[in-house]
Amino acid sequence: MFLEAPRFPEGVSNAAGWQGGAGYQTDIVIVDSGREQRNSVWDYPRHEYDCAHAARYVEQYKPLQNFFHVAGGMANGFRVKDWLDFTVTGTEGVFDMIDATHFQLVKAYFSGAQSRERAIQKPTLGSVIVTGGTFGSIDLSTGIVTMASGTPTSWVGEFDVPCRFDTDRMVGRAIKGAGGVAMEWDSIPIVEIRV
């Protein structure tokens, strides 16, 4: 099951100590001559995060603890705002055509003349503006745009990353200091899921 709401607590995902980002899977074969053959296994990156050190204080820990219980550990997916990559500009916002009226939101990443595209499946409510054609509707759970007529040319907006916890255990330790009680734990990993 995927929980469209609530979103992962923003007080944790934008706190100091939050870490993570995109990763690819590449198989590398070294041949007898010492040269490499590289085979990219994934077309799209898979994002991984760790929030263990982003919720050190009780006011951050309690919302995370509640959210962990609602998500059921690894059982359910949820939305995460990746503060390092959550916006799409007009030059980045492109589409993959599904059929004559349905189009998948895509973000294009550019470096010089090279580019790579990433399907956006979890746009955020009220943030997406589509140009070109006559806009009909958008499915916020899939990122699929339905056009009333014409073909969309670009879009701008914000998006979340569909994720799940990569652990069924959240074991914290309370540490009492001069400033009050702080919490710590070794790891609370979060991984992107394909929906």
Side-chain angles (χ1 to χ4, degrees), residues 55-182:
R56 297 301 235 176
Y57 303 104
V58 174
E59 61 271 15
Q60 295 167 317
Y61 177 81
K62 293 304 279 181
L64 177 59
Q65 182 183 47
N66 292 339
F67 188 83
F68 187 82
H69 285 294
V70 169
M74 294 191 292
N76 297 300
F78 48 84
R79 290 171 169 263
V80 172
K81 184 171 186 175
D82 181 345
W83 290 86
L84 298 175
D85 186 8
F86 69 96
T87 59
V88 176
T89 66
T91 57
E92 298 169 332
V94 296
F95 297 90
D96 275 345
M97 183 176 180
I98 299 169
D99 59 37
T101 58
H102 297 92
F103 300 83
Q104 177 68 55
L105 295 178
V106 173
K107 179 174 182 177
Y109 295 83
F110 297 96
S111 181
Q114 302 296 317
S115 68
R116 183 173 289 261
E117 295 182 345
R118 172 185 179 191
I120 301 300
Q121 298 175 310
K122 298 295 179 186
T124 57
L125 180 64
S127 74
V128 175
I129 300 171
V130 175
T131 57
T134 304
F135 176 74
S137 63
I138 184 169
D139 186 334
L140 297 175
S141 65
T142 63
I144 294 175
V145 170
T146 301
M147 297 298 288
S149 66
T151 302
T153 54
S154 67
W155 70 281
V156 296
E158 297 183 1
F159 64 94
D160 293 325
V161 181
C163 293
R164 68 167 170 80
F165 287 105
D166 200 22
T167 182
D168 273 330
R169 294 176 50 83
M170 183 176 154
V171 181
R173 292 180 294 277
I175 301 170
K176 191 167 185 177
V181 176

Side-chain angles (χ1 to χ4, degrees), residues 12 15-19 50-54:
V12 177
W18 170 269
Q19 61 183 5
D50 196 309
C51 62
H53 300 290

